[in-house]
Amino acid sequence: MRKSPSVPGRALSARFRDPSLAVIALMLSATAAPAFAQTAPAAGDPNSVSPPQDAPATAPEATAQETGDKEIVVTGSRLGAGFTAPTPVTTIAPEQIKDRALASVAELAYDIPQLRINQNIGKSSEPVGQNVADLRALGGARTLLLLDGRRLAATSPFGGVDTNIFPLSLISGVEVVTGGASAAYGSDAVAGVVNFSLQKKVEGVKIDASYGISNYNDFNRPVISAAAGKTFGRLNITVAGDFYRNTGQTAVGTRDWGRGRPVLFNNPNYTATNGQTKNYIAYDALYSRMTFGGVTVVPSTSPLYGIQFGVNGTPQPFVYGNPVNTTFMLGGSGVSIEDDGNILPHITRYSGYGRATYDLTDGISLWAEGLWSRVEVLSDLAPNYDNGTLTIQRDNAFLPVSIAATMAANNIKSFAFGRMNLEDGNSQNNSVSRALRYAVGAEGKIGDWSWDVHVQRSDNHFRQESVNNRIQSRWFQGVDSVISPITGQPVCRINADASTTNDNPACVPINVFGAGSISQQALAWYRGTSWYDARMTQNTAGANLSGSPFKTWAGPVKLAVGAEYRKETIKSISDPISVISGWRSINQQPFSGELTVKEVYAETAIPLAQDTPFAKNLEVSGAVRYADYSSSGGVTTWKIGFNYSPISDVRFRGTISRDIRAANINELYAGQNQVINSISDPRTNVTANTLQLTGGNRNLNPEKADTKAIGLVLQPSFIPGLNASIDYYSIKINGAITAIAPQTIVNNCFTLKIDSFCSLITQNASNQITSIQATLINAQTIEAAGIDFELSYRRPVTWFGTTGSIGSRLLVNYVDKLQLTASNVTTVLLGDIATDPGGQPRWKGNFDLTYSGGPLRLGAYVRYIGGGKFRTIYVDNVDLPASQNRVKGRAYVDLSASYKITKNIELYGKIDNLLNQDPPVAPNSIIAPTVSNSQMYDKIGRYYVGGVRVRF
């Protein structure tokens, strides 16, 4: 802290000319290079990989101490084992989780390019620290998250399921269906499904303990996870628990890239003809209207211009930098708190899980389970402040005598005043979320038919507190103090004026002149904690049946049918001051609502040819689901797909589907919440912190998506161990439920002259924007399209007398289109990454190279996150210099190693971001700017982890 001074639709080949793709090209060459001299994997090799993106419905082999169900619940289909879905499926095996030494489920987002990195690291209007799965960057609400194939209730009233609640110690795999799957799995699966599978039965005890620390000796992270189980005849009892903590709250000034106080600077010198840009990224930015002791905010012609207040309120000169805008100036004698801005929040997580499985017969199992999780998050915000918005009267009780004399001599009745209140302490945005899910069910087989039924209940609790918040009315009453004509002591004006109706004996006069001038009595008067408390419940019941009713000339016909009932409720309350929007920030509004859904579905696969001259295999599949929503009525979704293998080594696949998503409870019933953010008025090019109003809309209709996908899978028999796939996808969501970005609303009104957007803007008598209505609406369309690549290869090797294997895997996601259209105005989100409005880079890729031999395992990993634009709505060399509107991509190299000292003890370690790659400097323009405002890039730096795994 310083206390004093693109064009959519362009040919794919053109994209490869981007020099940033050299990293991906290197990945491809490294993967393909050894692919011409291989032998088949050794029999029983536990590290053999499944075919890419269409893994069969079998999980990796269990260890000697981990047994249980081998069937993966999600394979892109409800049809179960023996059917290869035409929908691409990406899998993460438990060995990959161990090799990467992952400490939280949220870290898996880095290993799946189709997932947008989506952890909230600082937005006060949302649950800080929450990580929601977000496929295709279409929003977390459009990705269906499942645990063992069953839904989870929202972990916050704002919607979404925080993946941090899962017990990492029992995760046996992750399956990602990267395509529309509403017909098979239900609403919310517009972008796809992410399913986490847990081990159902454990024998013995396993413990995993690790500790992580950054290259800067901060962000300490202890993690302990454990699981235990035992079988008593037909009964197995399995329990597990996790503990995770990171120290978080790391100041950005501790990093080289975070120093220098960069901001997105709104250029006051801009004109349409002088060749300057409206904004530019500038360094050495200090506040122009605030100091820690207060500063006058008056015209340069005023005798009060350029005065700040030092120790004991002593007037001192305030030297302005050049240039100066309404928040910042470059240089001068101002102050900044930017160096103390947090990199990541502090998170502590506890989770527990228990399951009892009883084999009633050889074909029928009964089970009961419970999941509990508690996640605590702490995040600092800027102290309370007034950016030149306080009014000081000439008779203020604490006004220095010399200033009062100057005002009297010049007949000045009042002046504007700015101050950053360090006395208040940092504001804190803290939250505690508790998830509780318990369920009972049964499953079994009758001949060739499999069935399962379940009943499930979730009770989740979320509480958010804003500590050191400010009650605005009390603050203004205390600042407006005078000398009592009766006692000769400072008193609030409301208690000294002629009126008795506005008196408040508790009001404490506040001295704002000079740093440290605010008394403890005054702090107790106006400072407090706002809170918001919500409870989310979900009751579900479901039944599924799958099997083969008959055979055709080409093989058995597969059929799955099922039904599900779901009722969800949210009840939330706020403190009384929040209800009347009386706090300076975070006035969460209470709401309540419920939603009931009844669904039935059917899915089938019909083989048309098998081992014929023209087809090794040909089959078609289809699914249909009818869902009746209490909020919007009935809707029907469907899906049609095909698999065609002319020979064993080659398979073509494709699907078309109509997917739906109905509005969730938050989107329907949420009250009007207030968020303060910086907005640039294009008429004046002045940026100001502006009130933004968000909330639900009970008139929302279900959104409908049309999804198309076609792909090619190669498993050449002449290169054993090599698997490859390429899939094209296109998603168009009609009537998309969304909130238009406030800056887009302003631009569309004042620049594009679209009246429908102007109705969402409120202005005062001076035509200054005072608030923007960003309530959820059914927009016209959201469109996404791109290509997924996957390439994997494994071969056995014998090194130093030890038989082992080398494996590699490449995952690449290329995005060709990502855009939102509302009122016939299209906003391109593709490549819009620096300010995190929801965009995605054009290229993302992951390359893994692993070795396993005897007791030793080694791994090297490359993660590439492409670059893009600071903002796609910015016009180069108009809104921002072209060089600053480009954000370069980043490639990260990670290493891992593990060694089994004995059969039951394994030591491991890893280094993430080996080259200590810095994130791009992409600041915003808020009061406490975030230096690197995109959450996609690593901010911690080189990170070391060491741990031990024990099994007995």
Side-chain angles (χ1 to χ4, degrees), residues 86-364:
T87 305
V89 178
T90 297
T91 63
I92 302 293
E95 282 302 323
Q96 185 173 348
I97 296 174
K98 290 198 299 183
D99 286 345
R100 299 301 302 269
L102 300 182
S104 68
V105 173
E107 296 178 27
L108 284 170
Y110 293 97
D111 287 347
I112 303 173
Q114 296 91 340
L115 279 171
R116 181 176 182 271
I117 299 169
N118 196 40
Q119 182 174 11
N120 178 22
I121 58 177
K123 295 179 182 178
S124 59
S125 58
E126 301 172 6
V128 176
Q130 177 166 293
N131 185 85
V132 178
D134 182 3
L135 280 168
R136 307 296 189 201
L138 292 173
R142 298 182 180 93
T143 297
L144 178 59
L145 195 69
L146 304 175
L147 183 62
D148 281 331
R150 302 193 307 279
R151 285 178 177 267
L152 296 109
T155 53
S156 86
F158 310 105
V161 178
D162 185 4
T163 58
N164 289 310
I165 70 173
F166 299 151
L168 194 65
S169 55
L170 281 183
I171 290 180
S172 61
V174 183
E175 303 83 42
V176 181
V177 181
T178 53
S182 294
Y185 294 104
S187 182
D188 304 339
V190 173
V193 177
V194 179
N195 179 69
F196 294 88
S197 299
L198 299 183
Q199 297 169 17
K200 305 301 188 302
K201 298 179 181 178
V202 171
E203 288 293 330
V205 177
K206 60 176 183 175
I207 301 173
D208 189 331
S210 67
Y211 191 85
I213 189 169
S214 79
N215 190 61
Y216 303 90
N217 197 31
D218 57 18
F219 207 77
N220 308 77
R221 191 187 70 191
V223 180
I224 300 175
S225 63
K230 186 173 178 58
T231 298
F232 306 91
R234 291 181 174 270
L235 175 67
N236 178 270
I237 304 292
T238 293
V239 295
D242 284 3
F243 168 79
Y244 167 97
R245 173 175 290 162
N246 71 56
T247 55
Q249 303 300 96
T250 303
V252 70
T254 62
R255 304 299 194 260
D256 292 340
W257 55 266
R259 298 171 190 153
R261 299 180 302 280
V263 302
L264 178 63
F265 190 78
N266 179 237
N267 184 8
N269 298 324
Y270 165 80
T271 69
T273 58
N274 68 357
Q276 297 189 30
T277 57
K278 295 179 180 179
N279 309 277
Y280 55 90
I281 297 174
Y283 286 78
D284 195 25
L286 305 171
Y287 297 130
S288 61
R289 296 188 174 191
M290 292 185 294
T291 67
F292 301 142
V295 63
T296 60
V297 182
V298 296
S300 60
T301 56
S302 170
L304 298 180
Y305 179 75
I307 298 174
Q308 63 175 321
F309 299 88
V311 179
N312 298 321
T314 304
Q316 298 174 348
F318 180 77
V319 179
Y320 284 90
N322 184 33
V324 178
N325 66 27
T326 55
T327 303
F328 296 104
M329 61 187 184
L330 305 184
S333 61
V335 298
S336 171
I337 62 170
E338 187 169 356
D339 284 350
D340 284 346
N342 293 328
I343 293 179
L344 290 171
H346 175 108
I347 300 176
T348 301
R349 183 188 73 245
Y350 312 87
S351 63
Y353 175 84
R355 180 183 174 99
T357 305
Y358 183 76
D359 295 330
L360 187 64
T361 68
D362 291 341
I364 300 176

Side-chain angles (χ1 to χ4, degrees), residues 647-906:
I647 58 175
S648 299
D649 297 1
V650 178
R651 177 163 63 94
F652 297 93
R653 60 186 176 191
T655 61
I656 57 173
S657 65
R658 163 62 59 86
D659 299 289
I660 56 93
R661 186 183 78 86
N664 59 38
I665 297 176
N666 175 270
E667 293 168 328
L668 290 168
Y669 302 110
Q672 190 171 78
N673 293 316
Q674 299 180 347
V675 180
I676 298 176
N677 214 331
S678 57
I679 292 295
S680 177
D681 190 333
R683 299 169 299 177
T684 61
N685 197 40
V686 172
T687 297
N689 290 318
T690 305
L691 185 66
Q692 299 167 23
L693 306 174
T694 64
N697 181 353
R698 300 191 182 195
N699 296 317
L700 291 172
N701 296 315
E703 55 188 29
K704 299 178 181 180
D706 293 314
T707 301
K708 303 172 185 177
I710 189 166
L712 171 66
V713 180
L714 301 175
Q715 296 173 269
S717 57
F718 55 90
I719 310 177
L722 178 66
N723 301 286
S725 69
I726 180 171
D727 290 273
Y728 170 81
Y729 65 90
S730 173
I731 304 172
K732 184 176 182 179
I733 304 172
N734 296 296
I737 299 169
T738 187
I740 307 301
Q743 185 65 63
T744 302
I745 293 174
V746 170
N747 293 348
N748 291 346
C749 170
F750 297 126
T751 302
L752 300 181
K753 309 299 183 182
I754 303 175
D755 291 339
S756 60
F757 288 95
C758 296
S759 64
L760 304 175
I761 300 172
T762 301
Q763 304 180 76
N764 60 20
S766 302
N767 288 328
Q768 295 173 323
I769 301 172
T770 57
S771 67
I772 301 171
Q773 185 72 49
T775 302
L776 290 167
I777 61 172
N778 282 107
Q780 287 175 322
T781 60
I782 294 179
E783 296 175 86
I787 299 175
D788 294 323
F789 306 86
E790 183 166 349
L791 190 63
S792 65
Y793 172 72
R794 181 169 298 279
R795 63 172 296 176
V797 295
T798 301
W799 287 353
F800 309 109
T802 301
T803 300
S805 64
I806 292 179
S808 62
R809 189 185 196 189
L810 175 69
L811 298 173
V812 176
N813 175 227
Y814 164 79
V815 184
D816 186 57
K817 179 185 289 187
L818 183 63
Q819 61 189 38
L820 163 70
T821 300
S823 298
N824 295 316
V825 177
T826 297
T827 301
V828 177
L829 297 175
L830 174 58
D832 196 331
I833 57 178
T835 51
D836 270 341
Q840 184 84 319
R842 191 175 293 276
W843 289 96
K844 288 175 68 179
N846 290 68
F847 175 66
D848 298 354
L849 181 64
T850 59
Y851 165 77
S852 176
L856 178 66
R857 292 183 66 90
L858 300 173
Y861 315 93
V862 178
R863 296 177 288 125
Y864 176 73
I865 301 173
K869 290 285 190 103
F870 189 97
R871 290 300 307 270
T872 55
I873 64 173
Y874 282 173
V875 178
D876 286 355
N877 298 320
V878 175
D879 295 292
L880 199 67
S883 60
Q884 293 185 343
N885 201 28
R886 176 173 169 78
V887 177
K888 294 182 179 180
R890 295 292 191 272
Y892 301 99
V893 178
D894 307 329
L895 300 177
S896 71
S898 65
Y899 189 86
K900 285 191 174 182
I901 300 176
T902 70
K903 180 180 178 181
N904 297 324
I905 300 176
E906 181 181 29

